[in-house]
Amino acid sequence: MSTSEMTREDVAAITLDEATTFIWREAEILDRQDYKAWLPLFTPDGLYVIPIERDTGDRAGELNIAYDDAEMRAMRVKRLKSGFSISSAPSARTVRTTSRFVIEQGKDNSAIVRCAQMLVEYKFERTRVVGADVTYRLVRGPEGLRMARKEVLLLNSDDPLWGVGYLF
Amino acid sequence: MDMPTGGAGYGDLVQDDRVHTALYKDPAIFDEEMERIFKNTWVWVAHASEVPRKNTFRKSYVGKQPVIVTRDKEEKVHVLLNRCRHRAATVCEKKAGKTSVFVCPYHGWSYNLDGKLRSVPHQAVYGEGFDKDEFPLVSLRTEEYNGMIFATFRDDIEPLEEFLGAARKWIDLFMKQGAGYPVKTLGEHQFRFPGNWKIQLENTTDAYHFPIVHKTFLDSLDAETENVFDVLGQGGWVEDLGNGHSLMVMIPDLVDLEENLDAPIPERFAELAEELRAEGHSDHEVRRIVRAVGGGGFNLNLFPNVACSMAFFRVLRPVSVDETEIRHIAIGMDGGPEAGNRMRMRLHEHFQGPMGFGSPDDAEGWERVQRGSSAGDDLWILVNRGKEPLVGHAAGSNVTDVSAETGMRAAYQQWKRMMSA
């Protein structure tokens, strides 16, 4: 339904098509490592979380692989693009696909979108495949959809990983 | 250079100021290390808080051998080989947890947490001579110092405290991060790198790399904190503590976390201090907790596999000659204010782990060492920096510059003693 067809004043459902378009666009930005374009995809109070624990506990009260507010995200992007981090200069190349979308409408112009992500990483003659369940909380603002939260639960989150010089 | 084949020859590969590249590359040397080092000394297996109550356990390793660290129903700690006495299946594949029994999933033999064989299905078929007391899980000699649990295959080596020696004082100082509360583990980051275990062992008391490798971490700090992490510019030092152990003090002001409590609270902890005050902690408590939350000012490297590093335990596990697993275990206050522990976890995430601002660059550096070590046929690794003791340093007459490679020399001399014994 388009906005003009809305009858209730405050709820414009986020369609699956809008959500997948947004998530695919984000995936392409991350694979291009165009992190400056990635930062504004979050709301100012948005969180980017990569947990270790498999349960859906209180992420703030447990140790994570990453638990980034806006300040940490900005610093992370600065680090990855600085040229001074030997793990990301050069960084691994990545290609990711997202699929198996499930969408649940929330109140207040928001939706929870769960999807599967397959990421292939290549660096120094080595190719790795990383699977993940990704949960987005998308909100509709004046400039379109934004991430209020992105949580990437790696398939092997509680196993030994490796130095990661890019973003999931 | 021809690779020595006998044990005595390994000693030739370690000189006072250099070690041969074969130590990173030769699978035969790796196999010997697993026998001569990891089966002949105290190896760290867990922190006491990882088995916090009776009937709790966590998996670990002694060298390449899988073990289970348990606390039995009498609260006694055991380190048991993770192998059913019947046909060798592992009896525990869960990382950690609570149970009163391990049941082998293959034929159902069951064991108590002290290792005793409890029952065997259809036991009668074994005949009357079968004695369950003959087949407990194999138990290693286990001792604990200030919450750090170590195990060894050797019944006849010195007690743990003697092995730790001069390092004990520094373990005690390290545990002041509990701010008066017991220290407990808060979770861990795990990663592997394609390189030899000794490359990581060298890193923990190597301040020389810090401003280079960790430039992007330093750039992410506020000016006040960046000054604190000016590790080469604060009069720190490196010290050989004996038995392969070494100490690197990077921030002398943070050696004893119970001192200087009157100093101004750093800007980055102002919000935490406010939160703690609001919870009703006294000014003294707030200062003590805040100072502890920031972590200590030194790295203590304990040969062969664990370090107490600023604010966390760093554990290495040799997997193969060119693969090593690392655990960075966050620690905090058991029963202390949650806000303090949350801050410690955020600080840990900032530097440590697969996506921290520090660890990936360390891991990349270590991998580069392993890759580069394939170049050249008879080249040596230099550990010759800072051999002369500092004259007139407040910490004593046997200390070397903070950027000296004294810690590496200490570890390699212990390696030489054990590999040529």
Side-chain angles (χ1 to χ4, degrees), chain B residues 55-57 73 98-102 111-114 118:
Chain B
N55 293 333
T56 55
F57 67 89
K73 62 183 182 196
K98 192 171 187 331
T99 185
S100 61
V101 62
F102 296 115
Y111 300 89
N112 293 340
L113 266 67
D114 60 6
R118 180 189 289 192

Side-chain angles (χ1 to χ4, degrees), chain B residues 2-128:
Chain B
D2 292 329
M3 294 303 155
T5 49
Y10 290 128
D12 298 338
L13 298 176
V14 171
Q15 298 181 6
D16 286 346
D17 66 347
R18 64 192 63 196
V19 301
H20 198 268
T21 311
L23 266 63
Y24 294 161
K25 294 197 302 182
D26 185 345
I29 292 177
F30 179 83
D31 290 343
E32 280 295 311
E33 289 172 340
M34 294 307 103
E35 290 298 316
R36 289 170 182 264
I37 295 175
F38 282 85
K39 287 180 78 175
N40 281 290
T41 191
W42 289 103
V43 175
W44 187 92
V45 289
H47 184 260
S49 67
E50 294 182 281
V51 283
R53 291 171 298 281
K54 65 179 183 180
N55 293 333
T56 55
F57 67 89
R58 87 148 284 139
K59 283 201 307 175
S60 188
Y61 286 87
V62 176
K64 290 189 77 173
Q65 305 203 24
V67 299
I68 323 166
V69 183
T70 68
R71 194 180 292 277
D72 69 20
K73 62 183 182 196
E74 260 81 53
E75 310 232 328
K76 185 171 187 291
V77 173
H78 304 267
V79 177
L80 309 166
L81 291 189
N82 190 358
R83 167 198 172 120
C84 180
R85 291 300 301 278
H86 174 223
R87 297 266 284 280
T90 53
V91 297
C92 173
E93 282 300 341
K94 215 177 149 205
K95 197 163 279 177
K98 192 171 187 331
T99 185
S100 61
V101 62
F102 296 115
V103 181
C104 176
Y106 197 10
H107 298 92
W109 287 32
S110 63
Y111 300 89
N112 293 340
L113 266 67
D114 60 6
K116 188 178 186 322
L117 177 58
R118 180 189 289 192
S119 71
V120 173
H122 304 289
Q123 187 181 322
V125 184
Y126 282 107
E128 286 194 0

Side-chain angles (χ1 to χ4, degrees), chain B residues 344-415:
Chain B
R344 281 190 72 100
M345 287 188 277
R346 297 296 90 82
L347 293 175
H348 195 80
E349 288 156 357
H350 189 159
F351 191 93
Q352 313 297 341
M355 291 181 78
F357 285 32
S359 302
D361 292 329
D362 276 329
E364 183 81 20
W366 306 337
E367 180 174 353
R368 296 283 187 103
V369 169
Q370 187 74 29
R371 288 167 74 83
S373 71
S374 295
D377 292 327
D378 189 15
L379 293 173
W380 295 74
I381 312 296
L382 297 182
V383 289
N384 57 343
R385 186 174 166 81
K387 287 189 77 177
E388 295 303 315
L390 296 172
V391 177
H393 194 282
S397 58
N398 61 334
V399 305
T400 46
D401 186 81
V402 63
S403 70
E405 284 151 351
T406 308
M408 296 158 223
R409 292 193 290 272
Y412 281 119
Q413 288 305 316
Q414 178 73 359
W415 185 96

Side-chain angles (χ1 to χ4, degrees), chain A residues 75-90:
Chain A
M75 293 194 306
R76 191 179 289 282
V77 164
K78 183 181 164 202
R79 178 182 121 77
L80 292 174
K81 301 308 281 184
S82 70
F84 293 111
S85 152
I86 57 173
S87 61
S88 52

Side-chain angles (χ1 to χ4, degrees), chain B residues 200-245:
Chain B
Q200 195 270 253
L201 187 74
E202 293 170 10
N203 177 267
T204 303
T205 48
D206 172 16
Y208 195 27
H209 81 284
F210 198 94
I212 317 286
V213 169
H214 301 310
K215 177 173 166 43
T216 64
F217 168 73
L218 294 167
D219 286 348
S220 72
L221 304 173
D222 61 82
E224 184 186 12
T225 311
E226 195 176 351
N227 281 338
V228 170
F229 278 93
D230 174 20
V231 299
L232 300 189
Q234 301 189 53
W237 71 92
V238 184
E239 201 172 338
D240 177 346
L241 298 177
N243 289 344
H245 314 318

